């Protein structure tokens, strides 16, 4: 039995589509159910940021989660495969009318990705005060809680509708297949066999996009 943690929403649906493609049948969470068991697989329906936690602690052998979340958590897991879906960018956002003088000593940055933000500005030798928020990050500059945000942009709609623009791109992200270290050795055959199958579907989808 392999247990696989999936983040609620679109990435979970796309991952289950891949499983449907590989194994046939229908892989789908029933409305509010948090566990789905089909044959040798058990899927967990968890919050995006919680996927690496389930995997690191071994409550799940595998997980599918954005590189942005992996980078934020700095966890001890094995990164197996870029699944080339759930693409987004982590950016620095500011108000449309703003230009920021990054040499200012008192810049405030609001984000739910505290580590990614701190590492990015530290590596640029820019001193900022990071303010942790849990959601609706785009609001912060509009009410002067912060001068800038570090947040995810997928379609760009949220920033656009709130009068914000991208000042800098920190990283490109997409969903990755990750594994618990012990599981990877204890269940190596099952994990690698599944990895091969998922990789084949991921690559065939890439070819369709390229055509
Ligand atoms: C994310 C992110 C942005 C939005 C970007 O928030 O923090 O707010 O999606 O998407 P867009 O570029 O397509 O508009 P999420 O929906 O995860 O909600 P949250 O603010 O509660 O984290």
């Amino acid at each position: 039995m392999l247990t696989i943690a999936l983040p609620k929403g679109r990435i979970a649906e796309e991952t289950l589509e891949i499983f449907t493609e590989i194994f046939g049948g229908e892989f789908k969470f029933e409305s509010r159910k948090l566990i789905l068991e089909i044959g040798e697989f058990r899927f967990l329906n968890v919050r995006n940021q919680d996927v690496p936690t389930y995997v690191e602690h071994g409550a799940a052998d595998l997980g599918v989660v954005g590189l942005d979340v992996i980078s934020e958590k700095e966890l001890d897991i094995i990164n197996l495969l870029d699944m080339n879906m759930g693409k987004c960018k982590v950016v620095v956002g500011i108000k449309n009318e703003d230009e920021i003088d990054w040499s200012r000593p008192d810049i405030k940055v609001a984000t739910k990705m505290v580590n990614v933000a701190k590492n990015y500005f530290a590596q640029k030798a820019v001193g900022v005060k990071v303010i942790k928020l849990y959601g609706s990050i785009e609001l912060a500059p509009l009410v002067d809680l912060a001068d800038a945000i570090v947040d995810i942009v997928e379609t760009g709609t949220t920033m656009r509708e709130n009068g914000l623009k991208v000042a800098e791109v920190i990283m490109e992200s997409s969903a990755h297949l990750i594994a618990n270290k012990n599981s990877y050795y204890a269940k190596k055959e099952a994990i690698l066999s599944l990895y091969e199958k998922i990789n084949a579907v991921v690559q065939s989808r890439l070819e369709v996009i390229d055509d």
Side-chain angles (χ1 to χ4, degrees), residues 37-79:
E37 274 192 33
I38 300 184
E40 289 301 295
F41 303 108
R42 179 165 66 166
F43 299 91
L44 312 180
N45 198 12
V46 308
R47 275 293 293 270
N48 200 25
Q49 290 91 335
D50 293 335
V51 169
T53 310
Y54 280 82
V55 174
E56 193 189 35
H57 290 268
D61 302 305
L62 296 166
V64 177
V65 69
L67 190 59
D68 53 315
V69 176
I70 300 170
S71 311
E72 176 63 20
K73 300 260 179 183
E74 294 162 354
L75 294 175
D76 197 18
I77 44 98
I78 297 175
N79 193 343

Side-chain angles (χ1 to χ4, degrees), residues 47-49 112 134-138 151-159:
R47 275 293 293 270
N48 200 25
Q49 290 91 335
K112 57 186 163 197
Y134 291 87
S136 302
I137 318 295
E138 293 82 355
D151 201 17
I152 306 293
V153 168
E154 199 179 329
T155 60
T157 313
T158 313
M159 279 188 52

Side-chain angles (χ1 to χ4, degrees), residues 94-149:
I94 57 175
K95 285 194 273 191
N96 281 336
E97 63 274 23
D98 277 358
E99 289 294 331
I100 292 194
D101 171 9
W102 294 105
S103 64
R104 255 176 50 198
D106 54 350
I107 294 173
K108 288 184 286 181
V109 177
T111 186
K112 57 186 163 197
M113 309 178 69
V114 170
N115 292 325
V116 168
K118 281 189 178 162
N119 290 340
Y120 177 71
F121 287 108
Q123 156 238 314
K124 290 182 52 132
V126 171
V128 299
K129 183 175 188 318
V130 174
I131 299 173
K132 165 88 183 180
L133 292 176
Y134 291 87
S136 302
I137 318 295
E138 293 82 355
L139 181 60
L142 307 182
V143 295
D144 293 328
L145 175 63
D147 304 285
I149 60 171

